[in-house]
């Protein structure tokens, strides 16, 4: 049964998660099991629910209760559904809601690296990628282009920040992910992966080199915006790989580079003349 609550008091503590808590406060580093994230728009909320995420409450325009949110609300039992006009919601949250709907959810427990890599053939590694927009875009490319999992260093932006979730179109709930330990390359090597560092070096292989596609298990390692990968990371990887470019351009934004790399090393390398991958 729906629990529809019209907003009359902006200061209500139940609305803090939408209006007054920062992303870091929602993350709750001291007690990760109590962490919360905010999903925005019906499609993203649906994907989060399909992934097993547990909802806390909704915040939405009144007009959505009986149309595009009806099925989502029905899936969530009697959790609070806070409603108001779009103008009131914009005033409360400080931004215009995408499709007029937010859902607060508990952060799921993260799997281990070995768990998500057990049956993986291609994984992406994000080293200190700190821009949530880039993280979200990388996840969307990973979902579309044959990447089985995403692994992040601890300094990377959390994929469940609201902007990352929105930019990814909810694919952060479809592609398995977790954080690596201090020796991420060593962890992957122990799991049978060869590692390919995306970096501009004189001895780098072009991304279409057949040796890369032939690897049974390959981790594609992408570096932070601006500085790229750390020298030690490059030295520890089995391959150094570059994307050949024209017009004197020597690099791409990390999200754009990931899409090219995932297409060449993920999707195309999986095509073997069978119908294993359907375009």
């Amino acid at each position: 049964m729906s629990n529809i609550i019209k907003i009359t008091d902006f200061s209500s503590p139940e609305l803090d998660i939408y209006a007054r808590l920062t992303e870091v406060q929602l993350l709750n580093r001291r007690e990760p099991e109590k962490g919360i994230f905010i999903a925005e728009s019906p499609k993203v909320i649906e994907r989060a629910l399909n992934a097993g995420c547990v909802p806390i409450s909704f915040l939405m325009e009144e007009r959505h209760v009986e149309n595009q949110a009806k099925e989502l609300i029905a899936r969530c039992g009697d959790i609070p559904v806070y409603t108001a006009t779009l103008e009131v919601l914009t005033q409360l949250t400080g931004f215009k809601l995408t499709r007029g709907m937010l859902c607060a959810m508990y952060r799921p427990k993260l799997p281990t690296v070995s768990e998500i890599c057990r049956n993986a053939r291609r994984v992406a590694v994000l080293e200190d990628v700190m821009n949530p927009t880039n993280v979200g875009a990388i996840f969307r490319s990973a979902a579309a282009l044959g990447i089985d999992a995403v692994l992040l260093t601890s300094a990377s932006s959390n994929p469940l920040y609201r902007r990352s979730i929105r930019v990814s179109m909810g694919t952060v709930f479809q592609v398995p992910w977790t954080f690596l330990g201090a020796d991420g390359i060593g962890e992957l090597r122990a799991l049978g992966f060869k590692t390919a560092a995306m970096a501009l070096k004189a001895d780098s292989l072009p991304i279409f080199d057949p040796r890369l596609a032939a690897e049974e298990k390959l981790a594609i390692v992408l570096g932070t915006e601006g500085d790229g990968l750390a020298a030690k990371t490059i030295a520890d990887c089995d391959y150094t790989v570059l994307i050949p470019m024209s017009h004197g351009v020597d690099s791409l934004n990390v999200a754009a580079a990931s899409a090219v790399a995932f297409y060449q090393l993920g999707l195309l390398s999986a095509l073997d003349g069978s119908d294993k991958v359907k375009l």
Side-chain angles (χ1 to χ4, degrees), residues 17-31:
I17 53 180
Y18 298 108
R20 287 173 284 276
L21 296 184
T22 66
E23 293 273 29
V24 173
Q25 289 171 316
L26 291 174
L27 179 61
N28 202 342
R29 291 183 183 277
R30 291 185 179 180
E31 298 180 275

Side-chain angles (χ1 to χ4, degrees), residues 73-96:
I73 293 171
R75 290 181 63 176
C76 297
D78 62 353
I79 66 170
V81 180
Y82 300 104
T83 69
T85 64
L86 181 60
E87 292 72 24
V88 169
L89 295 180
T90 300
Q91 183 181 350
L92 173 68
T93 61
F95 58 90
K96 188 172 181 179

Side-chain angles (χ1 to χ4, degrees), residues 186-268:
E187 263 186 287
L188 288 165
R189 184 170 290 118
L191 292 170
F193 281 87
K194 290 296 181 71
T195 50
M198 301 297 298
L200 298 170
K201 288 188 65 182
D203 60 348
S204 293
L205 297 177
I207 198 166
F208 48 76
D209 189 291
R211 285 171 287 183
L212 300 170
E215 291 291 355
E216 184 63 28
K217 301 174 78 173
L218 185 68
I220 303 161
V221 188
L222 298 141
T224 186
E225 302 88 348
D227 295 333
L229 292 170
K232 184 179 185 308
T233 301
I234 296 172
D236 288 346
C237 284
D238 299 294
Y239 300 103
T240 307
V241 180
L242 59 74
I243 300 169
M245 301 180 203
S246 62
H247 294 92
V249 176
D250 63 0
S251 65
L252 296 171
N253 165 276
V254 65
S258 75
V260 176
F262 297 165
Y263 178 73
Q264 180 68 42
L265 301 176
L267 191 63
L268 282 188

